[in-house]
Amino acid sequence: MKYFLILFIIISIVGCSKNDSESNEQDNSSSVDNGQDNSSTLDYAAAPTPVEGALTGTAALGAPLIKSNVKVKCANGTELSGTTNSFGKWSIAVSGKNCDAPFLIKVDGDFKGQNITLLSSATNEDVSKIVNVTPITHIITSELIAKDNATDAYSNISNQSISDNISKTKIQNQEGFIKTALTKTIQAATDETDLTKIDLINTGFATNHTGLDSILDLTIFEILDNSCIDNFCCILASFTNFAISL
């Protein structure tokens, strides 16, 4: 195996800074760019509201990926695009767009001067619901579509491979693996001991240090160019000593 996601024990808890969040919250003038005005259906200061016929979510590493390009690759080869707003929220309509499920989602953005590419995946069951794009969804999607470089795989994957490798069951199985690895971090962030009640992919959240964002805040994300998948965020997670081979 060529690349590794490494999770180390750390003493301090570090997430997105208050200043980062506040600076983003002061600019709420942007709208989600998917070819239509979603200002009436997306509350930028809170968790996103599902949009009928669309995939909707937050793209974040703890701090939001703002004004970032979002692409949805459909199982029949159609590709749709949009842009995150000032809070990392995005929504792209897929119904009536000649876009067959399942879907591969990619967000290209910038975080503290580093180019970031994060992936997520969704099925027909996720249309009109929330689908987030985070380092956690990137890990899950990487395991589904590629073992070495998932970012390249987005560009090169065949329509058949999308259909064969992305399903709700496969996504949930990988999510269960991640929840087990991050059990103590999740419990510290949520005070929830029953992990079956935690949804790391489809829970709407705002980058305000609560909910799913608090799980991301309890996690340090660091770009390790030579040690990880290109533009991939290695996770250094508090309370955890774990290695995942990709």
Side-chain angles (χ1 to χ4, degrees):
M1 297 293 181
K2 188 176 180 181
Y3 301 102
F4 297 88
L5 165 71
I6 305 175
L7 296 80
F8 297 99
I9 296 175
I10 60 173
I11 296 175
S12 61
I13 296 173
V14 183
C16 58
S17 69
K18 184 177 180 181
N19 288 338
D20 288 343
S21 179
E22 288 179 347
S23 66
N24 288 329
E25 289 173 3
Q26 291 172 358
D27 176 11
N28 61 2
S29 60
S30 66
S31 63
V32 175
D33 179 11
N34 62 355
Q36 56 184 314
D37 182 6
N38 285 319
S39 58
S40 62
T41 54
L42 286 177
D43 181 356
Y44 301 134
T49 301
V51 176
E52 186 67 28
L55 299 174
T56 302
T58 301
L61 304 105
L65 291 177
I66 66 174
K67 309 295 180 64
S68 300
N69 295 322
V70 184
K71 290 186 178 181
V72 173
K73 180 171 284 189
C74 316
N76 62 335
T78 298
E79 190 172 67
L80 306 173
S81 62
T83 308
T84 64
N85 70 358
S86 297
F87 294 91
K89 309 297 187 300
W90 62 277
S91 186
I92 295 179
V94 294
S95 296
K97 301 292 184 178
N98 187 33
C99 180
D100 296 342
F103 315 99
L104 192 56
I105 304 163
K106 181 176 74 163
V107 175
D108 291 308
D110 178 89
F111 180 71
K112 295 183 177 180
Q114 294 279 354
N115 293 325
I116 300 293
T117 294
L118 292 179
L119 301 179
S120 190
S121 45
T123 69
N124 194 54
E125 297 174 54
D126 299 312
V127 177
S128 305
K129 297 180 181 179
I130 296 296
V131 183
N132 295 311
V133 186
T134 68
I136 292 172
T137 68
H138 188 106
I139 298 166
I140 292 169
T141 304
S142 296
E143 287 296 298
L144 295 179
I145 68 170
K147 297 296 183 182
D148 52 0
N149 195 323
T151 304
D152 283 350
Y154 176 91
S155 300
N156 301 324
I157 194 169
S158 68
N159 298 345
Q160 190 61 49
S161 291
I162 293 177
S163 297
D164 291 345
N165 293 307
I166 298 175
S167 70
K168 181 58 72 174
T169 297
K170 291 179 179 179
I171 291 171
Q172 290 175 338
N173 286 344
Q174 291 298 327
E175 181 189 15
F177 181 65
I178 298 300
K179 287 197 289 187
T180 299
L182 296 179
T183 295
K184 292 183 179 180
T185 301
I186 293 170
Q187 290 173 344
T190 65
D191 292 324
E192 179 58 67
T193 58
D194 184 358
L195 295 186
T196 63
K197 296 180 180 179
I198 301 296
D199 188 335
L200 300 175
I201 305 170
N202 302 118
T203 298
F205 76 98
T207 50
N208 60 2
H209 315 297
T210 65
L212 180 55
D213 190 53
S214 65
I215 297 175
L216 298 177
D217 281 348
L218 284 170
T219 310
I220 298 174
F221 301 98
E222 182 176 342
I223 304 300
L224 301 175
D225 293 334
N226 297 323
S227 302
C228 296
I229 295 173
D230 293 344
N231 295 329
F232 179 72
C233 293
C234 283
I235 293 183
L236 308 179
S238 55
F239 313 116
T240 310
N241 188 359
F242 200 84
I244 302 173
S245 178
L246 297 177

